[in-house]
Amino acid sequence: MSLSVFMRAIRILVMLLGIVIAMGTSCAPRREQEPARSDDNPGITSAIDLNGDPAVFEMNLVAKVATVELVAGKKTAAWTYNGTVPGPLVDVVAGTRLVVHFKNELPQATTIHWHGVRLPNSMDGAMAVQEPVQPGGTFEYSFVLRDPGLYWFHPHHRSDSQIERGLYGVIRVRGTSEPRVDHEHVVVLDDVRLQSDGALPADLDDYSQLPLDLKLHGRWSDTVLVNGRNDRALTLQAGAIHRFRFLNTANLRYFNLTVPGHKFRVIGTDGSLFEKPYDTTHILIGPSERYDALLIPSAAVGAQLPLMSDAFSRAEDDTLQPAITALKMSIGSSVTGRTLADSLPGVAVPRIAVPDGEPTLIEFDQGTQGGAEGYTLPADGPDPLVGKDGDPIFVINKKAGSDIPPIEVKLGETKKFKIHNISHQIHVFHLHGFFFQIVDTDDSYDPVKKPFALRRELMDQAQKDSVTIRSGFSVTIVAKFDDEPGRWMYHCHIPEHSERGMMSEIRVVK
Ligand code: C2O
Ligand code: CU
């Protein structure tokens, strides 16, 4: 072999080696296109994927009583998923199949509902489609997470007490058009009523012990939790892009989120990112809603920058809810050169064409058991919320629970609903299995006086699964029932209301 032939052979070998190395890296499983991003979700454990196939996320989930510290120094026997509050965070890319081997080790029957997720009807975990899993029982949930966004899971049996006891967890689904950020945080907001020894209140076992005020409004308390603790802290990097994924799991409490001196750039809500984000000083988040927002902290290293819930009122004649600090944040380091993008290309949600004609009316009202309105709970009502005379009843079109005639919809049909709240309480309309778009409202937005009203930006681009309707106002929505026939619940997401009548179903038929 001549020297030149030898050299050529070496060169070819080196080249081949290079190709093999290049192929090796490009074949390596790549979960996402995003640049390096640090994830800091204080207090939240990540779910463990038992399945080697990157297209499947398979996990064990056990509902059980566990001792946790929601408030420093106090032991609480909470109801938990896998022993923690919140339960484990499921982190996947859109298109992943989620397989959950569920075991109920609670002393009460339960189900899991996958809030906001589009899935086959039999996997929805609602009473209409699933017998509750008895203590000691198991169930296998399996479905594909189709849509990017932040979702959550919680029981749909005795949800007023089971969610309040700590049964909730988060699902984060990434798409292909996620914004570039430096840091990301899942922030789960809640509140809890603890006795002085840290125990949960007895009215969770016995509805008759619940004070009338909480029967009317829903359970709430001044003990605010972030990711399962009342004293969470987070370190921020000045100048860096922080992405906050807010979820409100509280039964009633609203949070009027603000970071003093700063603006959020809101990039999404529920099951949608926005092509055109908007800036705001305050994000009003109601029970079960999610908001996705970017923020660049600007303050000196060492400065405190709290995440607050600012003062607000639920109605013009209501007392002001006081401002509180939800999460202590402080600046630990700094970086320069970051700016927020004005648009998120490639994420536009197609708008549903609004059909002509009158919307289907969903009228929310309230009355009293044995009262003059004549409202009654169905005879097969959810035990033990049978209540007694004088207890509130919450109705849809003047009927409660299974007495409410289901709304029938043809598969493929687009339907317009007007939700009118004629009661004295605030309500949160939630629909299972389908996103809806907001078409109209008679409530008008003002960041201080009327933070609850819907912003134009949400009507123009959000696809939601939950929306608040204040007393005396209405919201018109449109949904396209284009797949997954079956029995899909709609209800108020204040569970003290839904378990006392304000819950029915939409039947999507072929
Ligand atoms: Cu998160 Cu039917 O509810
Ligand atoms: Cu309600």
Side-chain angles (χ1 to χ4, degrees), residues 424-464:
H424 301 298
Q425 309 296 327
I426 208 161
H427 298 293
V428 187
F429 174 86
H430 169 55
L431 173 64
H432 286 207
F434 299 88
F435 295 119
F436 56 79
Q437 297 178 358
I438 300 154
V439 173
D440 199 11
T441 179
D442 50 14
D443 206 351
S444 59
Y445 177 79
D446 178 285
V448 181
K449 290 204 203 87
K450 294 182 169 186
F452 281 93
L454 288 156
R455 302 181 62 112
R456 188 73 245 173
E457 294 94 334
L458 293 178
M459 294 198 230
D460 289 344
Q461 51 188 350
Q463 71 181 1
K464 290 192 64 65

Side-chain angles (χ1 to χ4, degrees), residues 1-22:
M1 194 194 289
S2 75
L3 190 65
S4 72
V5 171
F6 178 75
M7 286 307 289
R8 192 179 302 153
I10 291 280
R11 240 178 273 132
I12 288 170
L13 243 159
V14 166
M15 200 180 75
L16 279 173
L17 200 69
I19 290 171
V20 167
I21 287 169

Side-chain angles (χ1 to χ4, degrees), residues 113 115-116 152 154 156 163 288 430 432 489 491 493 503:
H113 167 58
H115 182 116
W152 61 299
H154 64 73
H156 224 282
I163 298 174
S288 87
H430 169 55
H432 286 207
M489 314 298 297
H491 57 88
H493 215 289
M503 173 147 61

